[in-house]
Amino acid sequence: MYAAMGALGLAPSGQDKQFAAPRPGDFALRGKAAAKVVILGAGVAGLIAAYELGKAGYDCTLLEAREKAGGRNLTLRGGDRLTELNGPAQEVTFGEGVYFNAGPGRIAPWMVTLDYCRELGIPIETFVNNNASAYVHTNGQTVRARTARADMYGYVAELLAKATNLGALDKTITQDDQERLLDFLRRFGDLGPKLEYEGSHRRGFVKYPAIDLGAPLDRPGTLRQVLAAGTGRAITNDFGYDQATPMFQPVGGMDTIVARLTEAVGEDRITTGAKVTKITTLADGVEVVHDGGTVKADYCIATLPPHVLAKIPHNLGPQVTAALRTPVPIAAGKIGLEYGTRWWELEDRVYGGVTETDLDITHIWYPSHDYHSERGVIVGYYNTERNAELYGALTPEDRRRRALTQGKKIHGDKYRQNLLSSVSIAWERQPHIQGGWVRWPAFDSSFTLLQRPAGRVYFAGDWLTHLIAWQAGAMESARGAVTQLHQRVLQSP
Amino acid sequence: MYAAMGALGLAPSGQDKQFAAPRPGDFALRGKAAAKVVILGAGVAGLIAAYELGKAGYDCTLLEAREKAGGRNLTLRGGDRLTELNGPAQEVTFGEGVYFNAGPGRIAPWMVTLDYCRELGIPIETFVNNNASAYVHTNGQTVRARTARADMYGYVAELLAKATNLGALDKTITQDDQERLLDFLRRFGDLGPKLEYEGSHRRGFVKYPAIDLGAPLDRPGTLRQVLAAGTGRAITNDFGYDQATPMFQPVGGMDTIVARLTEAVGEDRITTGAKVTKITTLADGVEVVHDGGTVKADYCIATLPPHVLAKIPHNLGPQVTAALRTPVPIAAGKIGLEYGTRWWELEDRVYGGVTETDLDITHIWYPSHDYHSERGVIVGYYNTERNAELYGALTPEDRRRRALTQGKKIHGDKYRQNLLSSVSIAWERQPHIQGGWVRWPAFDSSFTLLQRPAGRVYFAGDWLTHLIAWQAGAMESARGAVTQLHQRVLQSP
């Protein structure tokens, strides 16, 4: 039954079912005391681990090397200061109420992140991840996404309709199915009576209908021109299971998740500015040395990025070190451009969403919140790997300059006008993080090894999941570590 | 230049540019007084006319036959009472903060409606009009939209790739273009290495990836099965220029637009419960008789539905009557189902959006607001014409019963559980409205005739535009009437 539902895509997609949070009753029943746990890193994985263990009364201590909790869940606001390795500090001067999610920015509806938002009372709102009115900029040309999509679908439908009518499918499908297919293609491509693509209102209008019929766009380019435009990647960008519309964000900034978790865990349990320098697993506990002292506990959950963790002296064995060194950190960068007018809404009628480009800025994001307010932050680039390294190596001023030069190709001069301020982040240069996320060359025995504790030290983080770079990964991994640890505590003599 | 921008879909789509609101200065310059205008109907067209004329100091009076302003912009809340022609009244018992937009429910970003939201300080939020996690129910089968889409796109891509490789396009496009096409098809259909569709993660998962790879859905049905499922209409539903994602709604209910307009116009200018019984255009003014008295003014703007207006005695001539009788009223119905738990979010992970069906309920809408709150209203049907007439003819209880029976086919037993209350509307049975909207058999001379005043009587409404059934139509039409009227006043001796 479940499998049949699955085939139709009907099985509930909540991830909840597998996880049972530790409860105080678990101990009461077995006459045990809750253990003491030291958690390395107060990012999302560390906070969730502390939050879930806290439900059963575990005594958790979090050691965070950075100045505040949250890790890559970082929302920047006016008054914040952003430092980076080998670079000048940036002072954020955004106006009141303006924010920039410098790390994760969107949540898919099936992700456990939404369950935590619900549980923690964090209001969510739609994140527009696909906007027909946003642009596609490829091979030097800019068109609205709706136009690119209508043209590509139109021609694909026409070509397949032609091939069908020429008999190319006669050996593949029956005449009845060909009729059904043509019926779909007519609709899919908005084809004319001769099953040809002659343009479509779906492309958009110079002036939309009102009292009059409006002024549709000119006719589309030829098939050759449309194929040469190379918009394919852009218009299929939201097809993936993790990018499909709709997506969501917490109202007021992604770090609301960090704030509510910190509140629930207890701020006094988090020591910030505490860089870990040694990890020792012992027969009866763990010992963690940091800048400010030594913490002894029954267990440890290490949630630092693997490449950071690998450099900390420990007695967990060479296999653990080798495994931690396996995933490759990936550079990722973003710039927040604060404008004094939301011209993208007023002039372009772009309310949220993403412009896809083949430029080194890759994407431009328009804010999905506070529509029609005075100011707004555009994400002027969100790039990874080579492009991110290129921007990361520049000074903040040069990053902005380059982002503006690129964005101007799409938006024209207004992209420079009314710019009030900006702040950019190169995650590979962030102290104690040093990467946007990691890539496993293969999900091999190293990946498997770290799913299990080394002595009394457990590992957790998005990097230990198949949801890398998503907060949901950090959360799922933390739940996994918590489950293992709690079972061990309950079963220990 | 403008035309070239248009071709690329880049021209600003704001409708603003054509309209200049009347200003007090217009009169000061010409030594004229603002005229007195009687507006028939305080729906969106009437309110916008009064609002725009009010900017220049016109003395407007609105006569509204119904008990409150707004017309089809109707949001129902607990404590409201809904009456209909030839049917029992319904008491709305929704919980606090719960509402149901019984009339218009969404706004496309290019529509002038958003300009008014901005101008009137009405906060807007995203209306999810396309949800990959919502369902498609056709031919007795239910699948997630993402699954239906992945399968159809997958097979379309495979068929065209096959045809291409068989040489079917050799006479149509060059080898280079065939390569470009195949590159797109691979991406579009998520095809395997042999350019075959073998299923895709895009279909969704029984269990989404987490620490493990997750459990993808079973393999898709055959091409024949996918074609037979008949999901084509459903998965292209948001392709139109007026349905493309994202869309928007006012925070707190569509009638916030009515509330802010009423405030701006002045509530004292609106006489409710005033049914118009006679309209007379005179050499020097107009005279409108209603239940409660007679209003004399310099001009009249009649914004009633044409089929209602046609029945009111007037001296505007038989051509006007004939023209008013031309458009055909269309039935439209909706039911709001209030649940005590938002099971569609908690269990189905459906946050907003629309399930498309081939049942007589046509659509099911999930609320795009107040996610994760305790209660919520699902639109259990939103249908038109024959289906709407069928439901409209039932008692409210029978409408609910039928809607539940249909919805259960998609959602199972939970569709009946936790149902707290419901309210349904049959627009063709709404007093003084008597239709969801109208259809013009042709946009012929009747349509054109009514764009011009008959004597001193102007006409306005969505029915006089190419944006029928949209508030933007009512707004654009009102602006048109205001512009004509104001020019006449300024030019009159």
Side-chain angles (χ1 to χ4, degrees), chain A residues 2-18 109-112 114-115 117-118 122 124-126 128 130-133 135 141-144 146-147 152-153 156 159-160 162-163 166 168-169 172-174 176-177 180-181 184-185 187-188 201-213 217-218 223-224 227-228 232-233 235-236 239-241 244-246 248 346-349 351 368 371-372 447 451 464-467 476-477 480, chain B residues 2-18 109-112 114-115 117-118 122 124-126 128 130-133 135 141-144 146-147 152-153 156 159-160 162-163 166 168-169 172-174 176-177 180-181 184-185 187-188 201-213 217-218 223-224 227-228 232-233 235-236 239-241 244-246 248 346-349 351 368 371-372 447 451 464-467 476-477 480:
Chain A
Y2 198 70
M5 286 176 72
L8 298 170
L10 297 182
S13 53
Q15 307 286 300
D16 262 331
K17 324 295 178 212
Q18 285 86 37
W110 50 268
M111 289 179 172
V112 71
L114 282 198
D115 297 309
C117 287
R118 189 177 74 244
I122 299 168
I124 56 163
E125 63 194 353
T126 314
V128 178
N130 175 6
N131 187 337
S133 299
Y135 300 93
Q141 281 198 309
T142 306
V143 294
R144 298 245 189 204
R146 67 173 82 228
T147 314
M152 195 63 110
Y153 289 9
V156 161
L159 288 174
L160 186 51
K162 266 189 192 155
L166 285 172
L169 304 181
T172 316
I173 58 174
T174 66
D176 275 5
D177 285 342
R180 290 197 185 94
L181 178 65
F184 172 71
L185 294 174
R187 201 183 289 283
F188 174 70
H201 283 173
R202 295 175 183 171
R203 308 183 78 232
F205 288 74
V206 177
K207 183 192 164 298
Y208 274 83
I211 296 172
D212 58 350
L213 281 164
L217 297 182
D218 283 355
L223 167 60
R224 192 183 177 80
L227 286 173
R233 181 188 296 268
I235 65 175
T236 56
F239 280 22
Y241 66 90
T245 193
F248 298 90
L346 304 182
E347 294 175 38
D348 293 59
R349 311 294 281 207
Y351 290 76
S368 295
Y371 299 118
H372 288 164
F447 181 80
Q451 300 292 350
L464 276 173
T465 73
H466 289 273
L467 288 174
E476 297 281 2
S477 177
Chain B
Y2 199 69
M5 286 175 72
L8 297 171
L10 299 182
S13 53
Q15 307 285 301
D16 262 330
K17 325 293 178 212
Q18 285 85 37
W110 50 267
M111 288 179 171
V112 72
L114 281 198
D115 296 309
C117 287
R118 190 177 73 243
I122 299 167
I124 57 164
E125 63 194 353
T126 314
V128 178
N130 174 7
N131 187 336
S133 299
Y135 301 94
Q141 282 197 308
T142 306
V143 294
R144 298 246 188 204
R146 67 172 82 227
T147 314
M152 195 63 111
Y153 288 9
V156 161
L159 288 174
L160 186 51
K162 267 187 191 155
L166 285 171
L169 304 182
T172 317
I173 57 175
T174 65
D176 275 5
D177 284 343
R180 288 197 187 94
L181 177 63
F184 172 70
L185 293 174
R187 200 184 290 282
F188 175 69
H201 284 172
R202 294 174 183 172
R203 305 183 79 233
F205 288 74
V206 177
K207 182 192 167 300
Y208 275 83
I211 295 172
D212 59 351
L213 280 163
L217 297 182
D218 285 352
L223 167 60
R224 192 181 177 82
L227 286 173
R233 182 187 296 267
I235 65 175
T236 56
F239 281 22
Y241 67 89
T245 195
F248 298 90
L346 303 183
E347 295 175 37
D348 293 60
R349 311 295 283 207
Y351 289 78
S368 296
Y371 299 117
H372 289 163
F447 181 81
Q451 300 291 353
L464 275 174
T465 72
H466 289 273
L467 288 175
E476 297 281 2
S477 178

Side-chain angles (χ1 to χ4, degrees), chain B residues 104-438:
Chain B
R106 51 191 168 185
I107 306 167
W110 50 267
M111 288 179 171
V112 72
T113 320
L114 281 198
D115 296 309
Y116 280 111
C117 287
R118 190 177 73 243
E119 187 168 323
L120 295 161
I122 299 167
I124 57 164
E125 63 194 353
T126 314
F127 176 93
V128 178
N129 200 39
N130 174 7
N131 187 336
S133 299
Y135 301 94
V136 174
H137 180 90
T138 46
N139 293 328
Q141 282 197 308
T142 306
V143 294
R144 298 246 188 204
R146 67 172 82 227
T147 314
R149 202 170 290 132
D151 288 348
M152 195 63 111
Y153 288 9
Y155 281 121
V156 161
E158 176 185 315
L159 288 174
L160 186 51
K162 267 187 191 155
T164 306
N165 283 334
L166 285 171
L169 304 182
D170 286 355
K171 286 182 185 162
T172 317
I173 57 175
T174 65
Q175 208 58 40
D176 275 5
D177 284 343
Q178 290 187 29
E179 283 308 316
R180 288 197 187 94
L181 177 63
L182 289 175
D183 185 53
F184 172 70
L185 293 174
R186 199 174 282 120
R187 200 184 290 282
F188 175 69
D190 200 13
L191 301 183
K194 290 177 185 171
L195 291 174
E196 284 173 354
Y197 177 60
E198 301 158 355
S200 162
H201 284 172
R202 294 174 183 172
R203 305 183 79 233
F205 288 74
V206 177
K207 182 192 167 300
Y208 275 83
I211 295 172
D212 59 351
L213 280 163
L217 297 182
D218 285 352
R219 290 170 64 92
T222 61
L223 167 60
R224 192 181 177 82
Q225 288 168 329
V226 167
L227 286 173
T231 62
R233 182 187 296 267
I235 65 175
T236 56
N237 207 49
D238 64 321
F239 281 22
Y241 67 89
D242 54 350
Q243 295 289 335
T245 195
M247 300 189 78
F248 298 90
Q249 64 182 6
V251 174
M254 193 57 84
D255 67 349
T256 313
I257 293 175
V258 176
R260 288 296 92 73
L261 280 173
T262 301
E263 232 171 76
V265 163
E267 206 175 342
D268 55 322
R269 292 190 175 276
I270 307 172
T271 308
T272 53
K275 194 186 169 201
V276 172
T277 53
K278 195 174 176 195
I279 303 164
T280 312
T281 183
L282 305 165
D284 60 348
V286 289
E287 192 182 271
V288 175
V289 184
H290 63 93
D291 291 1
T294 299
V295 178
K296 293 192 178 191
D298 297 308
Y299 299 97
C300 173
I301 303 180
T303 72
L304 310 184
H307 44 283
V308 175
L309 197 52
K311 290 182 193 145
I312 300 172
H314 64 75
N315 71 338
L316 308 174
Q319 272 195 309
V320 165
T321 305
L324 288 170
R325 282 185 184 151
T326 306
V328 183
I330 301 293
K334 273 189 184 177
I335 192 167
L337 302 170
E338 184 200 28
Y339 289 90
T341 166
R342 295 169 78 104
W343 49 262
W344 53 93
E345 294 170 2
L346 303 183
E347 295 175 37
D348 293 60
R349 311 295 283 207
V350 173
Y351 289 78
V354 181
T355 283
E356 302 291 343
T357 83
D358 59 3
L359 306 173
D360 55 25
I361 56 173
T362 316
H363 316 276
I364 297 177
W365 286 16
Y366 313 90
S368 296
H369 51 89
D370 297 320
Y371 299 117
H372 289 163
S373 61
E374 203 193 319
R375 301 181 175 197
V377 168
I378 278 188
V379 179
Y381 62 79
Y382 171 25
N383 49 22
T384 64
E385 311 209 33
R386 216 164 50 89
N387 289 329
E389 283 161 22
L390 184 152
Y391 276 83
L394 304 177
T395 64
E397 291 71 28
D398 283 342
R399 291 176 194 165
R400 180 180 57 223
R401 204 168 292 134
R402 188 170 180 124
L404 291 175
T405 299
Q406 300 292 54
K408 190 172 169 263
K409 294 175 185 168
I410 293 145
H411 286 294
D413 283 333
K414 66 189 169 193
Y415 206 70
R416 291 186 198 276
Q417 290 154 9
N418 284 303
L419 183 72
L420 297 179
S421 73
S422 70
V423 61
S424 57
I425 194 159
W427 279 105
E428 68 281 10
R429 290 164 185 263
Q430 274 300 299
H432 313 294
I433 293 181
Q434 294 177 247
W437 51 83
V438 301

Side-chain angles (χ1 to χ4, degrees), chain B residues 19-42:
Chain B
F19 178 68
R23 293 163 306 171
D26 296 345
F27 295 116
L29 286 169
R30 302 176 199 223
K32 284 182 191 293
K36 184 171 156 84
V37 181
V38 58
I39 297 171
L40 313 187

Side-chain angles (χ1 to χ4, degrees), chain A residues 127-272:
Chain A
F127 176 93
V128 178
N129 200 39
N130 175 6
N131 187 337
S133 299
Y135 300 93
V136 174
H137 180 90
T138 45
N139 293 329
Q141 281 198 309
T142 306
V143 294
R144 298 245 189 204
R146 67 173 82 228
T147 314
R149 202 170 288 133
D151 288 348
M152 195 63 110
Y153 289 9
Y155 280 122
V156 161
E158 176 184 315
L159 288 174
L160 186 51
K162 266 189 192 155
T164 306
N165 284 335
L166 285 172
L169 304 181
D170 286 354
K171 288 181 184 161
T172 316
I173 58 174
T174 66
Q175 208 57 41
D176 275 5
D177 285 342
Q178 290 187 30
E179 281 310 316
R180 290 197 185 94
L181 178 65
L182 289 175
D183 185 54
F184 172 71
L185 294 174
R186 200 175 282 119
R187 201 183 289 283
F188 174 70
D190 201 12
L191 301 183
K194 291 180 185 169
L195 292 174
E196 283 172 356
Y197 178 59
E198 300 158 355
S200 163
H201 283 173
R202 295 175 183 171
R203 308 183 78 232
F205 288 74
V206 177
K207 183 192 164 298
Y208 274 83
I211 296 172
D212 58 350
L213 281 164
L217 297 182
D218 283 355
R219 290 170 63 92
T222 61
L223 167 60
R224 192 183 177 80
Q225 288 168 328
V226 166
L227 286 173
T231 61
R233 181 188 296 268
I235 65 175
T236 56
N237 207 50
D238 64 321
F239 280 22
Y241 66 90
D242 55 349
Q243 295 288 335
T245 193
M247 299 187 80
F248 298 90
Q249 63 182 7
V251 173
M254 193 56 85
D255 67 350
T256 314
I257 294 176
V258 176
R260 290 294 92 72
L261 280 173
T262 300
E263 230 170 78
V265 164
E267 207 176 343
D268 54 323
R269 293 192 174 275
I270 307 173
T271 307
T272 53

